[in-house]
Amino acid sequence: MNNLVLEVADEIAVLKISRPAALNALNSETLDELNEVLTEIEGRDDIKVVILTGGADKKGNEFKSFVAGADIAEMSNFTAAEARAFGMRASVPFFKLMNMRQVTIAAVNGFALGGGCEISMACDIRIASDNATFAQPECGLGIIPGFGGTQRLARLVGMGCAKEMIFTCDNIDANEAYRIGLVNKVVAKEELMPTATAMAKKIISKGSYAVSIAKAAINNGYDMDIKNAVEMEANLFGITCSTHDKAEGMGAFLEKRKADLTDF
């Protein structure tokens, strides 16, 4: 891979987007590499959580940019058909981040602008360093967000806040992102990866199969009417009650011992 770095240890994958000359902006090659590596991760039982973050800039600053956006140099001469294809190209790995059985955590270390904000929103959980900056600046360039921004942002923070961010193109800092519900936590820069890793380890300590089923239930039920969504949940609840982890987890609880949850 030319633009990604993957490190795996203790059932945690740290996936860095690394295009230092472009502040990790997303071009077609990077999106294709992202799709390829996420496909690999999906099939690996030794990875239960993915932490997505940005690589260092040309000067080695690890907190300059998470992803500074989509690559404007590539987009500048797009036709309407090419722009649509670019948006759909991004949607494939973005939906993998959203729907893969592994939990995905965005560790946002600097600029999360345009496509950077959008890729963070495709992850299950977002943790921001205190110097992180979020924005959807596309309308200032005469376009609209094309990697899911108009849809995921409104679902996360509500229509009012989403419209304000998209219409004004204003940057917001990490604390404002936390206030409106765009991120789950804000931590000091030096605590970003330790916090993401600690959360990953806590998630891994639970029933990984149950977590993956819960993730699917949340994602699939979000746009359903409540009656059908609750019925879907009941069906999935029934499936989890037929597993080794259910027998082990409840047995350990009753026997007052630590459970050994191994399903995935």
Side-chain angles (χ1 to χ4, degrees):
M1 296 178 292
N2 293 322
N3 305 309
L4 301 177
V5 177
L6 176 65
E7 300 169 351
V8 179
D10 301 323
E11 300 183 308
I12 300 169
V14 176
L15 181 58
K16 291 183 180 180
I17 298 174
S18 182
R19 292 188 70 214
L23 295 178
N24 305 329
L26 300 173
N27 62 357
S28 292
E29 181 182 50
T30 306
L31 292 171
D32 289 345
E33 288 182 1
L34 186 64
N35 186 45
E36 182 179 345
V37 75
L38 291 176
T39 299
E40 175 194 337
I41 289 170
E42 278 185 302
R44 290 181 60 168
D45 290 341
D46 64 326
I47 298 174
K48 294 181 178 176
V49 176
V50 180
I51 300 173
L52 181 71
T53 195
D57 69 3
K58 291 189 293 184
K59 296 181 180 179
N61 182 353
E62 295 181 353
F63 295 95
K64 178 73 172 180
S65 183
F66 171 67
V67 171
D71 193 324
I72 294 175
E74 181 178 2
M75 293 191 296
S76 61
N77 294 315
F78 276 171
T79 64
E82 289 168 338
R84 181 188 184 280
F86 190 52
M88 295 308 295
R89 190 177 209 145
S91 74
V92 177
F94 282 30
F95 273 118
K96 283 185 178 173
L97 285 167
M98 179 179 173
N99 293 320
M100 64 197 303
R101 60 180 176 149
Q102 289 84 358
V103 173
T104 54
I105 300 173
V108 182
N109 54 330
F111 295 128
L113 311 178
C117 186
E118 288 167 306
I119 197 171
S120 77
M121 292 189 292
C123 294
D124 298 314
I125 296 165
R126 284 152 296 285
I127 302 173
S129 63
D130 54 12
N131 74 318
T133 301
F134 297 82
Q136 296 291 162
E138 290 86 355
C139 286
L141 301 173
I143 58 175
I144 69 168
F147 290 178
T150 61
Q151 303 307 305
R152 289 192 174 95
L153 188 59
R155 284 165 168 77
L156 279 170
V157 305
M159 275 197 179
C161 287
K163 287 177 178 178
E164 181 179 354
M165 279 187 67
I166 291 169
F167 298 170
T168 67
C169 305
D170 285 347
N171 290 358
I172 65 170
D173 63 20
N175 288 326
E176 177 65 5
Y178 177 75
R179 187 190 72 81
I180 66 175
L182 181 54
V183 301
N184 298 72
K185 289 180 183 290
V186 178
V187 297
K189 290 190 296 185
E190 60 273 14
E191 292 300 318
L192 178 63
M193 290 308 293
T195 300
T197 302
M199 182 180 289
K201 289 180 177 178
K202 178 179 283 190
I203 291 167
I204 289 168
S205 74
K206 311 306 177 185
S208 292
Y209 180 71
V211 168
S212 71
I213 294 296
K215 174 175 174 172
I218 294 166
N219 286 347
N220 294 325
Y222 190 83
D223 292 319
M224 286 185 183
D225 66 272
I226 189 65
K227 182 177 183 298
N228 284 307
V230 169
E231 183 176 351
M232 177 199 66
E233 181 190 75
N235 292 335
L236 294 174
F237 170 65
I239 289 171
T240 60
C241 282
S242 67
T243 63
H244 161 272
D245 276 3
K246 178 262 187 181
E248 168 63 14
M250 292 191 176
F253 177 83
L254 294 172
E255 295 164 14
K256 296 181 171 56
R257 60 176 175 83
K258 185 177 179 179
D260 181 21
L261 306 177
T262 59
D263 291 334
F264 187 42

